[in-house]
Amino acid sequence: MAEQTSGLADDRALLGRTSTAERVADILRSRIAEGFFPPGTRLSEDSIGGALGVSRNTLREAFRLLTHERLLVHELNRGVFVRVLTVEDVEDIYRTRRLVECAVVRGLGEPPYALDGLVQAVEKGRRAAREGDWKAVGTANIHFHQELVALASGERTAELMRSVFAELRLAFHVVDEPQRLHEPYIARNVEILQALEAGDRDAAERLLAAYLDVSLERVVEVYRRRVGDGD
């Protein structure tokens, strides 16, 4: 835990003078998503609170917020842990993604669309792939889909999917086969982007639905071997 929390001291400046549980939760959410606290890790109140310079009550409220987002789990008499998803959780995440992401594309108005964020995410993914940084490819892939959701211009949608994508990262950390998992989706993201650039929402939605179906199959196949069925 000392090694994992050492970098948190650098995040203390992000809290500013008005330290809040929400800001602490933002920092911890990012750290969990980046894999600094892998699934199953017990989070020490003393270590994290000391690294961030926040009170125990503030930290506990941040833990409560992240537990509500299903990123953490509280185990009686044991403490707070980064959640380990079940296969059913992974399937539910993809079910939610399909409902929301496809609806966003289907509901787009008339072209042209604001696609700069998608273009940047595709380029980051390609650059990371050339460098052999497959975890960065995975991050770029999630950014692509966050930018896709952002096309809906809805705060509630963005907030919902922020939590969903953070949960998805928990699954990716367990799978731990980043190249096999993420490499095929570089081309698929390009196809979706090209369809949107052409103003073809129907084609983009079909490509996206196929993408999510294949991604679910791949993730569940490996995840089931790693953690079992959750029974």
Side-chain angles (χ1 to χ4, degrees):
M1 179 59 67
E3 180 180 351
Q4 293 166 322
T5 57
S6 61
L8 288 178
D10 298 331
D11 290 327
R12 187 183 296 190
L14 299 176
L15 298 174
R17 294 187 177 181
T18 57
S19 176
T20 65
E22 288 82 1
R23 287 175 178 159
V24 173
D26 285 343
I27 289 171
L28 294 179
R29 185 187 300 107
S30 296
R31 290 288 179 164
I32 290 168
E34 292 164 2
F36 285 92
F37 300 114
T41 301
R42 181 181 179 277
L43 300 185
S44 166
E45 288 186 1
D46 291 339
S47 297
I48 294 174
L52 290 176
V54 298
S55 71
R56 189 178 297 269
N57 286 339
T58 295
L59 186 58
R60 286 178 177 175
E61 176 61 13
F63 283 172
R64 188 192 67 79
L65 292 170
L66 296 178
T67 299
H68 180 71
E69 294 180 17
R70 301 171 62 84
L71 295 180
L72 302 180
V73 60
H74 180 268
E75 297 185 10
L76 189 63
N77 298 324
R78 294 194 64 215
V80 176
F81 295 79
V82 179
R83 192 158 169 261
V84 178
L85 304 182
T86 65
V87 171
E88 288 76 13
D89 290 325
V90 176
E91 291 172 338
D92 192 39
I93 287 169
Y94 273 88
R95 188 178 304 114
T96 303
R97 291 187 66 190
R98 207 178 198 282
L99 286 170
V100 174
E101 293 186 52
C102 289
V104 166
V105 173
R106 191 182 317 124
L108 291 174
E110 294 300 316
Y113 308 120
L115 303 176
D116 288 349
L118 293 177
V119 171
Q120 291 173 11
V122 164
E123 289 306 314
K124 285 181 180 179
R126 284 172 160 170
R127 184 165 57 251
R130 288 194 297 269
E131 296 170 355
D133 188 347
W134 298 106
K135 288 189 177 181
V137 172
T139 297
N141 183 35
I142 286 183
H143 286 168
F144 178 90
H145 289 271
Q146 287 174 325
E147 292 293 339
L148 187 68
V149 169
L151 295 176
S153 300
E155 291 183 8
R156 290 177 179 82
T157 304
E159 184 176 350
L160 166 67
M161 295 307 292
R162 180 185 66 175
S163 177
V164 169
F165 287 131
E167 277 194 88
L168 183 62
R169 292 297 289 265
L170 293 182
F172 287 169
H173 292 319
V174 171
V175 169
D176 199 28
E177 294 184 10
Q179 180 172 358
R180 180 171 181 261
L181 186 64
H182 301 304
E183 186 173 22
Y185 305 121
I186 298 173
R188 287 181 178 268
N189 287 346
V190 170
E191 290 175 345
I192 294 168
L193 174 60
Q194 289 173 340
L196 290 173
E197 287 174 332
D200 193 341
R201 290 175 299 172
D202 292 340
E205 184 183 356
R206 287 194 301 272
L207 290 165
L208 176 60
Y211 168 109
L212 292 172
D213 287 345
V214 171
S215 181
L216 171 60
E217 183 178 349
R218 285 176 177 268
V219 173
V220 167
E221 175 193 355
V222 180
Y223 201 84
R224 183 172 278 117
R225 293 201 305 267
R226 298 278 182 174
V227 303
D229 294 319
D231 296 334

